[in-house]
Amino acid sequence: MGTVTMEKLVSLCKRRGFVYQSSEIYGGLSGAWDYGPLGVELKNRVRDFWWKEMTQLHDNIVGLDAAIMMHPKVWEASGHVANFTDPMVDCKKCNSRFRADHIDLEAACPVCGNKGTFTEPREFNLMFSTNLGPVKDDSSIVYLRPETAQGIFVNFKNVLQTSRVKIPFGIAQVGKAFRNEVTTKNFIFRTLEFEQMEMQFFVRPGEDESWFEYWKNSRIAYYDRLGIRKDKLRFHQHGPDELAHYAKDAFDIEFEFPMGWQELEGIHSRTDFDLGRHQEFAGKDMQYLDPADNTRYLPYVIETSAGLTRSVLMVLSDAYEEQELSEGDTRVVMHFHPSVAPVMVAVFPLVKKDGIADLAKEIEQGLREDFTTFYDQSGAIGRRYRRMDEIGTPFCITVDYQSKEDQSVTLRFRDSMEQVRVPITELGERIRTEIRTYERV
Ligand code: ATP
C-alpha cells in the first residue's frame, strides 16, 4: 500500500472519468487515449496555468495558434523529413518492436527472453503523412505537425510586424502534435497524438547563454508553483550524442513517474538554425532590424517545450496518495493544486429536507461564477467526502441545520481534513485566499 503504480493510476482514471482508452468498445487503439469529464477539466486547467505563466505574467511574450497542417517545405527546412527518425529493432523470434536506444541490444529480448534475436536497427521517420485532395501521390503529401514550434518560426515576421514586440521576446503556443512512435506505452506518457506547450524566445546572438539559464530557472520554478514536489524533479543535460540536429545545448526537466525518471520538458538552445533554414528554403528575409543600434541579424532562439498530456500524467502521479486514517480505514486522495483541480468546490446538504438542500443549491450556484463546483446530496456525508478526495476536490462545504439559523457552513479541507465554520457571505473570499496560499503537503 502507499506507492503509486501505473496500474493504480489507469484504474482510478477509468473509474472516475479522467482518461479512457480510445475506441474501447472496439478493443482500443494502442497509443491513443480519450479524456473524460474530469480529465478534460484537469487538462484544460494545466494548459491555462501554463498559458498564464508564459504569456499573461510576462510583458514580452505573445500567443499564437497555428494550423496543424503546414506547407510540406516547412518540414524539409526544419530537418524533420531527413532527420526526425528513431532507430527501431524487431525481435525475430516474437516480432516485438522496440526503440533501439531504449533497450540493451546485447541483452535478451525483454518480451520473449531470447538472446541475439534483434534485427539490425533501421531508421524510422516519425511523421504521420496524409494527402491533400483526391490524388494520392508525392506532390500531394502533407504532414501532421510533429511539434508546434515550426508554426511559430514561420510566423516570426508576421508577429513582429503586427504586435510591436522587441527582442528579447517570446511566442507561445499550445496545440496538438502527432508522432508515429515506434512504441507507445506507459498510459498517456508517450502517445501518437498529444499536446505540446511550447514557447520560442528570440534573443540577440551572444545573449543566448544567459537567457538559456534564465529559462532553466524559470521553468523549474513553475513546477513548484504548480504544486509539484521538488524532489520529484531534476535536470538532465543532453550529452553530445543526445543533442538534436538543431541544438547547441539542451536540458530536460525530468519527473519521477511511476515507471522511473523520464523527460517532461525540454529546454533547447536552437541558435538561428530554424529562422536561417526558413530564410533559405522560403527565400524570405527573416532578419530582425534592431532599433537599439540599427543592426540586422537572425535572432537566436531558446525554446521551452513541455508536453501538456505528459504534464497531466505528472500531475496525476504526483497527486496520488493512499492514506491509512485509522485501523482498516483508508482513503485515496489526489493532492491536486486547487488551481488545476477538476472540481474546486463541492457543496453538500447534510440532509435533503427542511430547506437545507435548497440553501445548499443556492450556495453552490452562487459560487459557480468563480469556481468549478459540484453538488452532491446522495449518501452518507463521510462517503461524499471520500468521493471528492479521490478526484482531488480541495474544498467541501456542508450545509446543516445551523446554517439556516446563523448563515454559516462547514468548510472542509481535502489535505488536512480539517473543518472550520465560515459565514456564507465570506466563502468566496476565503476559498480564493486558500487557493493563493496553497502549499503542497
Ligand atoms: P523522446 O526522445 O522521448 O521521444 P523528444 O526528446 O523527442 O522525446 P521533444 O521533441 O523534446 O521530445 O518534445 C517536447 C516534449 O513533448 C517532451 O518533453 C514531451 O513532454 C512531449 N512529447 C514528445 N513526444 C511525446 C509523445 N509521443 N507523447 C506525449 N508527449 C510527448
PDB file of all heavy atoms in Angstrom, residues 324-349:
ATOM      1  N   GLU A 324      -3.741   5.659   5.278  1.00  0.00           N
ATOM      2  CA  GLU A 324      -4.448   4.870   6.280  1.00  0.00           C
ATOM      3  C   GLU A 324      -4.811   5.825   7.407  1.00  0.00           C
ATOM      4  O   GLU A 324      -3.941   6.364   8.090  1.00  0.00           O
ATOM      5  CB  GLU A 324      -3.562   3.725   6.786  1.00  0.00           C
ATOM      6  CG  GLU A 324      -4.282   2.907   7.822  1.00  0.00           C
ATOM      7  CD  GLU A 324      -3.832   1.453   7.839  1.00  0.00           C
ATOM      8  OE1 GLU A 324      -2.751   1.161   7.309  1.00  0.00           O
ATOM      9  OE2 GLU A 324      -4.584   0.632   8.402  1.00  0.00           O
ATOM     10  N   LEU A 325      -6.106   6.074   7.583  1.00  0.00           N
ATOM     11  CA  LEU A 325      -6.540   7.077   8.556  1.00  0.00           C
ATOM     12  C   LEU A 325      -6.604   6.480   9.953  1.00  0.00           C
ATOM     13  O   LEU A 325      -6.244   7.099  10.929  1.00  0.00           O
ATOM     14  CB  LEU A 325      -7.888   7.651   8.147  1.00  0.00           C
ATOM     15  CG  LEU A 325      -7.886   8.311   6.762  1.00  0.00           C
ATOM     16  CD1 LEU A 325      -9.282   8.692   6.343  1.00  0.00           C
ATOM     17  CD2 LEU A 325      -6.978   9.537   6.752  1.00  0.00           C
ATOM     18  N   SER A 326      -7.098   5.265  10.019  1.00  0.00           N
ATOM     19  CA  SER A 326      -7.085   4.524  11.282  1.00  0.00           C
ATOM     20  C   SER A 326      -7.152   3.057  10.878  1.00  0.00           C
ATOM     21  O   SER A 326      -7.305   2.753   9.687  1.00  0.00           O
ATOM     22  CB  SER A 326      -8.283   4.906  12.146  1.00  0.00           C
ATOM     23  OG  SER A 326      -9.469   4.630  11.434  1.00  0.00           O
ATOM     24  N   GLU A 327      -7.035   2.171  11.821  1.00  0.00           N
ATOM     25  CA  GLU A 327      -7.059   0.734  11.549  1.00  0.00           C
ATOM     26  C   GLU A 327      -8.201   0.373  10.572  1.00  0.00           C
ATOM     27  O   GLU A 327      -9.373   0.591  10.890  1.00  0.00           O
ATOM     28  CB  GLU A 327      -7.260   0.025  12.908  1.00  0.00           C
ATOM     29  CG  GLU A 327      -7.180  -1.481  12.851  1.00  0.00           C
ATOM     30  CD  GLU A 327      -5.744  -1.976  12.688  1.00  0.00           C
ATOM     31  OE1 GLU A 327      -4.830  -1.366  13.266  1.00  0.00           O
ATOM     32  OE2 GLU A 327      -5.570  -2.972  11.953  1.00  0.00           O
ATOM     33  N   GLY A 328      -7.849  -0.091   9.390  1.00  0.00           N
ATOM     34  CA  GLY A 328      -8.864  -0.549   8.443  1.00  0.00           C
ATOM     35  C   GLY A 328      -9.584   0.560   7.686  1.00  0.00           C
ATOM     36  O   GLY A 328     -10.424   0.301   6.839  1.00  0.00           O
ATOM     37  N   ASP A 329      -9.252   1.829   7.985  1.00  0.00           N
ATOM     38  CA  ASP A 329      -9.925   2.924   7.293  1.00  0.00           C
ATOM     39  C   ASP A 329      -8.913   3.656   6.414  1.00  0.00           C
ATOM     40  O   ASP A 329      -8.003   4.313   6.916  1.00  0.00           O
ATOM     41  CB  ASP A 329     -10.536   3.886   8.331  1.00  0.00           C
ATOM     42  CG  ASP A 329     -11.300   5.022   7.661  1.00  0.00           C
ATOM     43  OD1 ASP A 329     -11.653   4.871   6.468  1.00  0.00           O
ATOM     44  OD2 ASP A 329     -11.533   6.052   8.323  1.00  0.00           O
ATOM     45  N   THR A 330      -9.079   3.512   5.116  1.00  0.00           N
ATOM     46  CA  THR A 330      -8.113   4.140   4.212  1.00  0.00           C
ATOM     47  C   THR A 330      -8.850   5.094   3.273  1.00  0.00           C
ATOM     48  O   THR A 330     -10.045   4.977   3.074  1.00  0.00           O
ATOM     49  CB  THR A 330      -7.404   3.089   3.332  1.00  0.00           C
ATOM     50  OG1 THR A 330      -8.401   2.395   2.595  1.00  0.00           O
ATOM     51  CG2 THR A 330      -6.588   2.132   4.158  1.00  0.00           C
ATOM     52  N   ARG A 331      -8.085   6.018   2.719  1.00  0.00           N
ATOM     53  CA  ARG A 331      -8.670   6.851   1.665  1.00  0.00           C
ATOM     54  C   ARG A 331      -7.626   7.053   0.571  1.00  0.00           C
ATOM     55  O   ARG A 331      -6.422   7.080   0.842  1.00  0.00           O
ATOM     56  CB  ARG A 331      -9.159   8.194   2.196  1.00  0.00           C
ATOM     57  CG  ARG A 331      -8.058   9.147   2.616  1.00  0.00           C
ATOM     58  CD  ARG A 331      -8.570  10.587   2.758  1.00  0.00           C
ATOM     59  NE  ARG A 331      -7.455  11.488   3.090  1.00  0.00           N
ATOM     60  CZ  ARG A 331      -7.507  12.819   3.014  1.00  0.00           C
ATOM     61  NH1 ARG A 331      -8.605  13.421   2.618  1.00  0.00           N
ATOM     62  NH2 ARG A 331      -6.456  13.560   3.325  1.00  0.00           N
ATOM     63  N   VAL A 332      -8.114   7.202  -0.670  1.00  0.00           N
ATOM     64  CA  VAL A 332      -7.260   7.638  -1.763  1.00  0.00           C
ATOM     65  C   VAL A 332      -7.532   9.114  -1.921  1.00  0.00           C
ATOM     66  O   VAL A 332      -8.682   9.535  -1.997  1.00  0.00           O
ATOM     67  CB  VAL A 332      -7.593   6.896  -3.076  1.00  0.00           C
ATOM     68  CG1 VAL A 332      -6.856   7.532  -4.253  1.00  0.00           C
ATOM     69  CG2 VAL A 332      -7.234   5.430  -2.952  1.00  0.00           C
ATOM     70  N   VAL A 333      -6.448   9.893  -1.917  1.00  0.00           N
ATOM     71  CA  VAL A 333      -6.625  11.340  -2.048  1.00  0.00           C
ATOM     72  C   VAL A 333      -5.699  11.863  -3.145  1.00  0.00           C
ATOM     73  O   VAL A 333      -4.552  11.456  -3.238  1.00  0.00           O
ATOM     74  CB  VAL A 333      -6.422  12.062  -0.685  1.00  0.00           C
ATOM     75  CG1 VAL A 333      -5.113  11.685  -0.033  1.00  0.00           C
ATOM     76  CG2 VAL A 333      -6.530  13.574  -0.826  1.00  0.00           C
ATOM     77  N   MET A 334      -6.235  12.711  -3.983  1.00  0.00           N
ATOM     78  CA  MET A 334      -5.436  13.335  -5.040  1.00  0.00           C
ATOM     79  C   MET A 334      -5.135  14.762  -4.593  1.00  0.00           C
ATOM     80  O   MET A 334      -6.045  15.590  -4.473  1.00  0.00           O
ATOM     81  CB  MET A 334      -6.216  13.370  -6.367  1.00  0.00           C
ATOM     82  CG  MET A 334      -6.571  12.005  -6.913  1.00  0.00           C
ATOM     83  SD  MET A 334      -5.124  11.001  -7.343  1.00  0.00           S
ATOM     84  CE  MET A 334      -4.765  11.557  -8.984  1.00  0.00           C
ATOM     85  N   HIS A 335      -3.845  15.033  -4.366  1.00  0.00           N
ATOM     86  CA  HIS A 335      -3.464  16.366  -3.863  1.00  0.00           C
ATOM     87  C   HIS A 335      -3.237  17.345  -5.015  1.00  0.00           C
ATOM     88  O   HIS A 335      -2.147  17.898  -5.146  1.00  0.00           O
ATOM     89  CB  HIS A 335      -2.180  16.270  -3.035  1.00  0.00           C
ATOM     90  CG  HIS A 335      -2.295  15.410  -1.819  1.00  0.00           C
ATOM     91  ND1 HIS A 335      -2.909  15.829  -0.672  1.00  0.00           N
ATOM     92  CD2 HIS A 335      -1.874  14.140  -1.573  1.00  0.00           C
ATOM     93  CE1 HIS A 335      -2.856  14.865   0.245  1.00  0.00           C
ATOM     94  NE2 HIS A 335      -2.237  13.827  -0.292  1.00  0.00           N
ATOM     95  N   PHE A 336      -4.230  17.525  -5.873  1.00  0.00           N
ATOM     96  CA  PHE A 336      -4.055  18.498  -6.959  1.00  0.00           C
ATOM     97  C   PHE A 336      -3.911  19.904  -6.389  1.00  0.00           C
ATOM     98  O   PHE A 336      -4.578  20.254  -5.402  1.00  0.00           O
ATOM     99  CB  PHE A 336      -5.292  18.537  -7.869  1.00  0.00           C
ATOM    100  CG  PHE A 336      -5.568  17.278  -8.626  1.00  0.00           C
ATOM    101  CD1 PHE A 336      -6.861  16.767  -8.695  1.00  0.00           C
ATOM    102  CD2 PHE A 336      -4.558  16.605  -9.296  1.00  0.00           C
ATOM    103  CE1 PHE A 336      -7.139  15.616  -9.408  1.00  0.00           C
ATOM    104  CE2 PHE A 336      -4.835  15.448 -10.017  1.00  0.00           C
ATOM    105  CZ  PHE A 336      -6.121  14.951 -10.065  1.00  0.00           C
ATOM    106  N   HIS A 337      -3.096  20.728  -7.035  1.00  0.00           N
ATOM    107  CA  HIS A 337      -3.115  22.147  -6.717  1.00  0.00           C
ATOM    108  C   HIS A 337      -4.544  22.636  -6.974  1.00  0.00           C
ATOM    109  O   HIS A 337      -5.121  22.328  -8.019  1.00  0.00           O
ATOM    110  CB  HIS A 337      -2.125  22.888  -7.615  1.00  0.00           C
ATOM    111  CG  HIS A 337      -1.938  24.320  -7.202  1.00  0.00           C
ATOM    112  ND1 HIS A 337      -2.929  25.248  -7.352  1.00  0.00           N
ATOM    113  CD2 HIS A 337      -0.898  24.954  -6.634  1.00  0.00           C
ATOM    114  CE1 HIS A 337      -2.494  26.415  -6.886  1.00  0.00           C
ATOM    115  NE2 HIS A 337      -1.268  26.261  -6.445  1.00  0.00           N
ATOM    116  N   PRO A 338      -5.132  23.410  -6.029  1.00  0.00           N
ATOM    117  CA  PRO A 338      -6.529  23.828  -6.214  1.00  0.00           C
ATOM    118  C   PRO A 338      -6.792  24.543  -7.539  1.00  0.00           C
ATOM    119  O   PRO A 338      -7.904  24.475  -8.067  1.00  0.00           O
ATOM    120  CB  PRO A 338      -6.771  24.783  -5.041  1.00  0.00           C
ATOM    121  CG  PRO A 338      -5.746  24.437  -4.031  1.00  0.00           C
ATOM    122  CD  PRO A 338      -4.563  23.871  -4.756  1.00  0.00           C
ATOM    123  N   SER A 339      -5.782  25.203  -8.098  1.00  0.00           N
ATOM    124  CA  SER A 339      -5.998  25.903  -9.378  1.00  0.00           C
ATOM    125  C   SER A 339      -6.242  24.948 -10.531  1.00  0.00           C
ATOM    126  O   SER A 339      -6.753  25.361 -11.561  1.00  0.00           O
ATOM    127  CB  SER A 339      -4.791  26.758  -9.756  1.00  0.00           C
ATOM    128  OG  SER A 339      -4.493  27.639  -8.766  1.00  0.00           O
ATOM    129  N   VAL A 340      -5.785  23.705 -10.422  1.00  0.00           N
ATOM    130  CA  VAL A 340      -5.968  22.779 -11.549  1.00  0.00           C
ATOM    131  C   VAL A 340      -6.944  21.652 -11.227  1.00  0.00           C
ATOM    132  O   VAL A 340      -7.251  20.836 -12.098  1.00  0.00           O
ATOM    133  CB  VAL A 340      -4.625  22.189 -12.072  1.00  0.00           C
ATOM    134  CG1 VAL A 340      -3.696  23.295 -12.528  1.00  0.00           C
ATOM    135  CG2 VAL A 340      -3.944  21.296 -11.055  1.00  0.00           C
ATOM    136  N   ALA A 341      -7.449  21.606  -9.997  1.00  0.00           N
ATOM    137  CA  ALA A 341      -8.380  20.529  -9.633  1.00  0.00           C
ATOM    138  C   ALA A 341      -9.627  20.590 -10.525  1.00  0.00           C
ATOM    139  O   ALA A 341     -10.163  21.667 -10.749  1.00  0.00           O
ATOM    140  CB  ALA A 341      -8.779  20.679  -8.169  1.00  0.00           C
ATOM    141  N   PRO A 342     -10.071  19.446 -11.041  1.00  0.00           N
ATOM    142  CA  PRO A 342     -11.240  19.448 -11.933  1.00  0.00           C
ATOM    143  C   PRO A 342     -12.485  20.019 -11.258  1.00  0.00           C
ATOM    144  O   PRO A 342     -13.239  20.748 -11.868  1.00  0.00           O
ATOM    145  CB  PRO A 342     -11.461  17.973 -12.272  1.00  0.00           C
ATOM    146  CG  PRO A 342     -10.206  17.277 -11.915  1.00  0.00           C
ATOM    147  CD  PRO A 342      -9.495  18.105 -10.894  1.00  0.00           C
ATOM    148  N   VAL A 343     -12.694  19.653  -9.986  1.00  0.00           N
ATOM    149  CA  VAL A 343     -13.759  20.289  -9.205  1.00  0.00           C
ATOM    150  C   VAL A 343     -13.063  21.044  -8.072  1.00  0.00           C
ATOM    151  O   VAL A 343     -12.273  20.465  -7.337  1.00  0.00           O
ATOM    152  CB  VAL A 343     -14.726  19.239  -8.601  1.00  0.00           C
ATOM    153  CG1 VAL A 343     -15.766  19.918  -7.720  1.00  0.00           C
ATOM    154  CG2 VAL A 343     -15.399  18.419  -9.697  1.00  0.00           C
ATOM    155  N   MET A 344     -13.361  22.329  -7.940  1.00  0.00           N
ATOM    156  CA  MET A 344     -12.701  23.105  -6.879  1.00  0.00           C
ATOM    157  C   MET A 344     -13.502  23.064  -5.578  1.00  0.00           C
ATOM    158  O   MET A 344     -12.938  22.980  -4.503  1.00  0.00           O
ATOM    159  CB  MET A 344     -12.533  24.552  -7.313  1.00  0.00           C
ATOM    160  CG  MET A 344     -11.473  24.743  -8.362  1.00  0.00           C
ATOM    161  SD  MET A 344     -11.443  26.462  -8.858  1.00  0.00           S
ATOM    162  CE  MET A 344     -10.181  26.407 -10.105  1.00  0.00           C
ATOM    163  N   VAL A 345     -14.817  23.166  -5.713  1.00  0.00           N
ATOM    164  CA  VAL A 345     -15.654  23.237  -4.518  1.00  0.00           C
ATOM    165  C   VAL A 345     -16.851  22.304  -4.667  1.00  0.00           C
ATOM    166  O   VAL A 345     -17.571  22.384  -5.661  1.00  0.00           O
ATOM    167  CB  VAL A 345     -16.198  24.675  -4.318  1.00  0.00           C
ATOM    168  CG1 VAL A 345     -16.904  24.782  -2.968  1.00  0.00           C
ATOM    169  CG2 VAL A 345     -15.100  25.715  -4.424  1.00  0.00           C
ATOM    170  N   ALA A 346     -17.042  21.430  -3.667  1.00  0.00           N
ATOM    171  CA  ALA A 346     -18.245  20.595  -3.662  1.00  0.00           C
ATOM    172  C   ALA A 346     -19.151  21.086  -2.540  1.00  0.00           C
ATOM    173  O   ALA A 346     -18.674  21.482  -1.476  1.00  0.00           O
ATOM    174  CB  ALA A 346     -17.872  19.136  -3.440  1.00  0.00           C
ATOM    175  N   VAL A 347     -20.449  21.076  -2.803  1.00  0.00           N
ATOM    176  CA  VAL A 347     -21.408  21.546  -1.789  1.00  0.00           C
ATOM    177  C   VAL A 347     -22.388  20.424  -1.468  1.00  0.00           C
ATOM    178  O   VAL A 347     -22.973  19.828  -2.381  1.00  0.00           O
ATOM    179  CB  VAL A 347     -22.163  22.798  -2.291  1.00  0.00           C
ATOM    180  CG1 VAL A 347     -23.081  23.334  -1.181  1.00  0.00           C
ATOM    181  CG2 VAL A 347     -21.198  23.876  -2.738  1.00  0.00           C
ATOM    182  N   PHE A 348     -22.534  20.137  -0.176  1.00  0.00           N
ATOM    183  CA  PHE A 348     -23.430  19.064   0.267  1.00  0.00           C
ATOM    184  C   PHE A 348     -24.455  19.585   1.272  1.00  0.00           C
ATOM    185  O   PHE A 348     -24.066  20.248   2.234  1.00  0.00           O
ATOM    186  CB  PHE A 348     -22.662  17.954   1.025  1.00  0.00           C
ATOM    187  CG  PHE A 348     -21.411  17.474   0.375  1.00  0.00           C
ATOM    188  CD1 PHE A 348     -20.293  17.173   1.165  1.00  0.00           C
ATOM    189  CD2 PHE A 348     -21.323  17.284  -0.986  1.00  0.00           C
ATOM    190  CE1 PHE A 348     -19.119  16.693   0.600  1.00  0.00           C
ATOM    191  CE2 PHE A 348     -20.147  16.808  -1.560  1.00  0.00           C
ATOM    192  CZ  PHE A 348     -19.040  16.514  -0.776  1.00  0.00           C
ATOM    193  N   PRO A 349     -25.714  19.212   1.115  1.00  0.00           N
ATOM    194  CA  PRO A 349     -26.648  19.411   2.224  1.00  0.00           C
ATOM    195  C   PRO A 349     -26.522  18.210   3.158  1.00  0.00           C
ATOM    196  O   PRO A 349     -26.421  17.074   2.688  1.00  0.00           O
ATOM    197  CB  PRO A 349     -28.011  19.417   1.526  1.00  0.00           C
ATOM    198  CG  PRO A 349     -27.813  18.615   0.280  1.00  0.00           C
ATOM    199  CD  PRO A 349     -26.352  18.648  -0.087  1.00  0.00           C
TER     200      PRO A 349
END
